[in-house]
Amino acid sequence: MADDLQEYLRARRALVDQRLQEVVRAGEGCPPALIEAMSYSLFAPGKRLRPILVILAAEASGGSDELALPAACAVEMVHTYSLIHDDLPAMDDDDLRRGQPTCHKKFGEALAILAGDALLTLAFQVLAEGYPPATGTACCRELASGAGAAGMVGGQVEDLAWEREQLQNANCKMQIANCGQLLGVLENIHARKTGALFRSCVRMGVLVAQGERPGGADPRTLKALDTYGRCFGQAFQITDDLLDVEGDAAQAGKRVQKDADRGKLTYPGFLGVAESRRRAEQLVRQAGEALAPLGRAGDRLVALAQSILQRNH
Ligand code: GRG
C-alpha cells in the first residue's frame, strides 16, 4: 500500500497543479505582478495534502477525482492565502516557507497581503463556477465556515492572543495548568486554526460526490468523514509541532525550533515528545476506525492518515 499511495499522491498532485495553473491563468484583467505573487506561493513545493483529502473523500463517497478538482483547488488556494498572511511580520514573521523566501520577503508586504486576498476570493469563484448550484452553494458554505471566523481565522486570533499573553505574563501558563485547562485550550485553538480546514476538505469531498442526490449527501458518510477529518487534523498538528522540535529546516522548508522561543502552546511543550507521538498514533487509529462504515472505499484515506506519522516536512 505504501508504494501504491506514493504513486497515487504523485499523480493527484500533478492533476491539482495542472488545474491550479489553468485557474490562475484565467484571471483576465489581473495585474501581472499580482499573478506572479499568487503563483510564487501557490506553486512553491507544498504537499497538497488538503486537495488530496478532498479528492480521496470524493472517491470514497462514490465520486471521481475530476469532480473533486474545483473544490480541491479552492481549498489549496485558501490554505496558501493563510500561509502568506501567517508569515507576515504582524503575525508569525517568517522568512522561509515551502523552501523559499516568504511572499512578503520576495514581493513586499502590500503585494503579499493582496496576493493572499486574491487567492481567498478566487477560491469561492472557482467553487461557484465549478459545480451546479446546490453543490456549489453547499461547498461555499462549508469552505467559508472552515476557513472563517469560527474556523481557521478564529483559531489564528486565539493563537496570537495566547502567544501575546504568554510573553506578557510568564505565569499565565502555570495558572491555567493548575486549573487543569491547558490541554483543552491547546486542543480548542488547533481544532480551529488547523483542524477546521481539514474537516472542510473531507466534507466537501462528500458534498461534490453526493450533493446533487435527492435529499443531498448521506449523513452517515458525512459523519464518518467528519470524524476522520477531526482526528486527522489533530494528528497532523501534533506531528507539525513535533517537526518544530525534532525537524530540520532544510527538509521542512520552514524555520524550526521557533515555537518554544515564542511561548507558543504546543503538544510537545505541554505533553512531552513521547506522549505527543503516542497521542498522534492514537488519533490516526481513531481516524481509521471512523471510516469502518465505508469498507474498502476508505483504504487510501486510512493509508494517508498513517503516512503523516512518518512525515519529515
Ligand atoms: C492567517 C487566517 C490565517 C490563518 C493562519 C494555517 C495557519 C493559520 C497558519 C500556518 C501556521 C502553521 C505552521 C500552522 C500549523 C499547521 C499548518 C497549517 C502547517 C502548514 O501546512 P502543510 O504542512 O503545508 O500542509 P504545505 O506547505 O505542505 O501545504
Side-chain angles (χ1 to χ4, degrees), residues 41-42 44-51 76 78-88 91-92 94 97-99 120 147-148 151-157 159-160 190 192-195 197-198 233 236-238 240-241 243-244 252-255 258-259 264 311 313:
S41 292
L42 193 57
K47 294 182 287 299
R48 305 293 191 232
L49 211 44
R50 293 156 191 79
E76 185 63 21
V78 169
H79 170 57
T80 303
Y81 122 78
S82 81
L83 298 179
I84 294 173
H85 282 198
D86 185 67
D87 290 334
L88 289 166
M91 296 203 207
D92 252 21
D94 268 311
R97 171 70 66 184
R98 292 179 161 174
L120 174 62
M152 182 177 71
V153 173
Q156 176 79 345
V157 167
D159 197 28
L160 289 172
H190 290 312
R192 295 188 204 194
K193 181 180 155 181
T194 322
L197 199 59
F198 279 120
F236 176 89
Q237 182 61 55
I238 297 174
D240 208 68
D241 287 355
L243 265 184
D244 188 73
K254 59 184 180 182
R255 194 149 53 95
K258 63 177 184 186
D259 291 344
K264 264 202 187 290
R311 63 187 282 238
H313 69 293

Side-chain angles (χ1 to χ4, degrees), residues 234-288:
Q234 207 182 332
F236 176 89
Q237 182 61 55
I238 297 174
T239 59
D240 208 68
D241 287 355
L242 284 167
L243 265 184
D244 188 73
V245 176
E246 302 177 317
D248 167 77
Q251 220 158 29
K254 59 184 180 182
R255 194 149 53 95
V256 294
Q257 304 281 348
K258 63 177 184 186
D259 291 344
D261 297 350
R262 294 176 174 196
K264 264 202 187 290
L265 191 53
T266 68
Y267 285 93
F270 180 60
L271 295 173
V273 167
E275 177 58 18
S276 298
R277 193 160 290 289
R278 198 196 61 75
R279 219 177 165 83
E281 286 164 1
Q282 184 188 35
L283 283 158
V284 165
R285 267 196 306 280
Q286 287 170 355

Side-chain angles (χ1 to χ4, degrees), residues 177-190:
N178 290 343
C179 300
Q181 291 171 353
L182 189 57
L183 189 58
V185 172
L186 174 68
E187 285 179 342
N188 201 292
I189 290 174
H190 290 312

Side-chain angles (χ1 to χ4, degrees), residues 18-281:
Q18 191 187 343
R19 182 62 68 92
L20 282 171
Q21 291 279 4
E22 290 162 15
V23 165
V24 172
R25 262 204 308 267
E28 215 181 296
C30 178
L34 181 56
I35 302 239
E36 195 191 343
M38 292 159 75
S39 302
Y40 174 81
S41 292
L42 193 57
F43 298 111
K47 294 182 287 299
R48 305 293 191 232
L49 211 44
R50 293 156 191 79
I52 282 165
L53 279 169
V54 178
I55 294 172
L56 280 173
E59 289 176 339
S61 322
S64 66
D65 52 8
E66 181 59 30
L67 193 59
L69 273 181
C73 290
V75 80
E76 185 63 21
M77 288 190 277
V78 169
H79 170 57
T80 303
Y81 122 78
S82 81
L83 298 179
I84 294 173
H85 282 198
D86 185 67
D87 290 334
L88 289 166
M91 296 203 207
D92 252 21
D93 193 11
D94 268 311
D95 298 350
L96 187 66
R97 171 70 66 184
R98 292 179 161 174
Q100 62 181 30
T102 45
C103 195
H104 68 275
K105 283 281 161 195
K106 173 93 178 161
F107 297 98
E109 281 183 49
L111 194 52
I113 291 169
L114 293 164
D117 294 342
L119 286 167
L120 174 62
T121 41
L122 183 57
F124 289 93
Q125 183 180 342
V126 166
L127 286 178
E129 290 176 355
Y131 296 105
T135 302
T137 305
C139 284
C140 282
R141 186 183 298 124
E142 182 56 56
L143 188 56
S145 98
M152 182 177 71
V153 173
Q156 176 79 345
V157 167
E158 287 183 342
D159 197 28
L160 289 172
W162 171 268
E163 196 179 317
R164 279 167 195 160
E165 210 175 329
Q166 280 295 290
L167 293 174
Q168 280 163 11
N169 177 7
N171 291 325
C172 172
K173 200 170 182 172
M174 284 312 295
Q175 287 161 10
I176 292 184
N178 290 343
C179 300
Q181 291 171 353
L182 189 57
L183 189 58
V185 172
L186 174 68
E187 285 179 342
N188 201 292
I189 290 174
H190 290 312
R192 295 188 204 194
K193 181 180 155 181
T194 322
L197 199 59
F198 279 120
R199 284 172 77 179
S200 290
C201 290
V202 288
R203 291 174 62 89
M204 278 199 295
V206 182
L207 293 173
V208 301
Q210 301 186 355
E212 298 298 312
R213 287 185 185 177
D218 170 38
R220 233 167 56 108
T221 310
L222 266 177
K223 187 172 183 322
L225 267 300
D226 186 56
T227 306
Y228 169 92
R230 182 171 51 73
C231 296
F232 183 102
Q234 207 182 332
F236 176 89
Q237 182 61 55
I238 297 174
T239 59
D240 208 68
D241 287 355
L242 284 167
L243 265 184
D244 188 73
V245 176
E246 302 177 317
D248 167 77
Q251 220 158 29
K254 59 184 180 182
R255 194 149 53 95
V256 294
Q257 304 281 348
K258 63 177 184 186
D259 291 344
D261 297 350
R262 294 176 174 196
K264 264 202 187 290
L265 191 53
T266 68
Y267 285 93
F270 180 60
L271 295 173
V273 167
E275 177 58 18
S276 298
R277 193 160 290 289
R278 198 196 61 75
R279 219 177 165 83
E281 286 164 1

